[in-house]
Amino acid sequence: CDIPIFHDDQHGTAIVAASAMIGACRLMKRDIGSLKAVVSGAGASAIAVTRLLMALGLKEVILCDRKGAIYEGRDGLNPEKEMMAKITNRAKKSGTLADMLVGADVVFGLSGPGLITQDMIKSMNKDPMVFVMSNPVPEIMPDEAKAAGAAVVGTGRSDFPNQINNVLAFPGVFRGALDVRASDINDDMKVAAAYAIANLIDEKDLRPDYIIPEPFDKRVGPAVAKAVAEAAKESGVARL
C-alpha cells in the first residue's frame, strides 16, 4: 500500500498548532511574519511545529533545548538540531529559555511541565500568545499564563479552552490524501489543512478562548479533507 509518511504526533500537532497561531493572529490583528517566537523543546514535534510555522511565514524563531537556545555552531547538536540551527536564530543568540523569552511575542511549549514561569510570561512583549502543549501538565498552567498577561493561551489539555489536539488534523489529512492518491503529504497540504481548520471560525466569533474549533466539531474533517485534496492537486502530488 503506497501511503505517504505522516506522523500525527509530529505533523498533526504541527497543523493544529499552526491553526491556533492563525486564529490568534486573526484575533489580535497581527501578521505572523512580524512576530518574535520562541519554542521550548527541540524534539520531533517541536521541529515539525517550527518548520510549519515558518512555512506560514514566521521569520524570527528560536528553539530551546535543555541547554538553552539552539544556534549554528553550538557544541553538541545532533543532526536534526544542526539542521534547525541553520534556519532559525539567525542572530545566534545564546542563553536560557528565560533569556530568549524577554521581548518575545509568542511561545510554543513542546517540552515538559513547569518550564515556563509567570515571570517569563511577564518579560515577553505586551499581550503575548502562549501555546503550551506538554501533557498532562503543561509548561505553565493556562490560568497562570493568563494572570501573568497572556492575551491568548492554547494547551494540550481538554479541560481548558483552545485545546491543541491533533485529532483536528489527521483524519481529514488522510482522507484528502487518499481521495486523490497523493504521493506525498507536503507542506502545501499541511498549510492548507491549518487554514481550513482555523477558517471554520468566523471573524465575528473569534475570542481569546475560541481561536480554534473544538476537537469534535463535525465540520473539521470534511473541510480539511477538501483543502488537502485541492492542495495536493495544485502542488502536483495528486495521482487522481
Side-chain angles (χ1 to χ4, degrees):
C1 182
D2 187 8
I3 298 176
I5 295 172
F6 181 88
H7 196 296
D8 61 278
D9 280 344
Q10 296 173 34
H11 307 114
T13 298
I15 288 167
V16 184
S19 297
M21 184 79 265
I22 293 166
C25 285
R26 289 171 65 205
L27 174 69
M28 303 292 293
K29 310 299 183 188
R30 302 291 301 274
D31 175 6
I32 191 171
S34 70
L35 300 177
K36 297 178 181 179
V38 175
V39 178
S40 174
S45 293
I47 288 173
V49 168
T50 302
R51 290 179 68 89
L52 192 57
L53 290 171
M54 294 180 76
L56 284 175
L58 182 65
K59 296 180 177 66
E60 195 167 343
V61 56
I62 299 172
L63 285 86
C64 294
D65 62 9
R66 290 181 179 86
K67 296 180 180 179
I70 289 173
Y71 55 90
E72 195 170 12
R74 200 191 84 179
D75 291 339
L77 296 179
N78 63 31
E80 289 76 18
K81 292 178 183 180
E82 285 182 353
M83 172 192 69
M84 295 306 295
K86 294 180 184 299
I87 60 173
T88 63
N89 192 7
R90 300 314 299 146
K92 298 185 179 181
K93 294 180 181 179
S94 63
T96 65
L97 172 63
D99 295 332
M100 297 305 104
L101 283 174
V102 176
D105 300 298
V106 56
V107 59
F108 282 87
L110 297 113
S111 47
L115 294 179
I116 297 174
T117 67
Q118 287 188 308
D119 284 342
M120 292 181 193
I121 301 296
K122 291 175 182 177
S123 78
M124 297 174 70
N125 283 339
K126 187 175 184 295
D127 295 327
M129 307 171 195
V130 177
F131 304 101
V132 281
M133 290 171 273
S134 176
N135 254 332
V137 182
E139 286 78 3
I140 184 171
M141 293 301 290
D143 50 352
E144 293 178 1
K146 290 286 286 185
V152 177
V153 182
T155 174
R157 292 174 62 121
S158 61
D159 55 342
F160 286 96
N162 299 327
Q163 185 188 12
I164 299 172
N165 189 325
N166 54 22
V167 75
L168 284 167
F170 64 82
V173 170
F174 281 131
R175 179 74 274 164
L178 291 170
D179 282 346
V180 296
R181 291 190 63 216
S183 60
D184 187 21
I185 296 178
N186 58 31
D187 280 351
D188 288 346
M189 296 159 73
K190 296 171 195 172
V191 167
Y195 275 105
I197 295 167
N199 290 339
L200 285 173
I201 301 179
D202 290 335
E203 203 83 24
K204 61 181 176 57
D205 295 325
L206 282 168
R207 306 185 305 269
D209 62 352
Y210 186 52
I211 56 169
I212 51 174
E214 299 291 334
F216 296 107
D217 188 324
K218 293 182 179 179
R219 301 174 299 163
V220 174
V224 171
K226 180 181 178 182
V228 166
E230 290 176 354
K233 292 176 183 177
E234 291 173 4
S235 62
V237 298
R239 291 179 290 190
L240 282 181

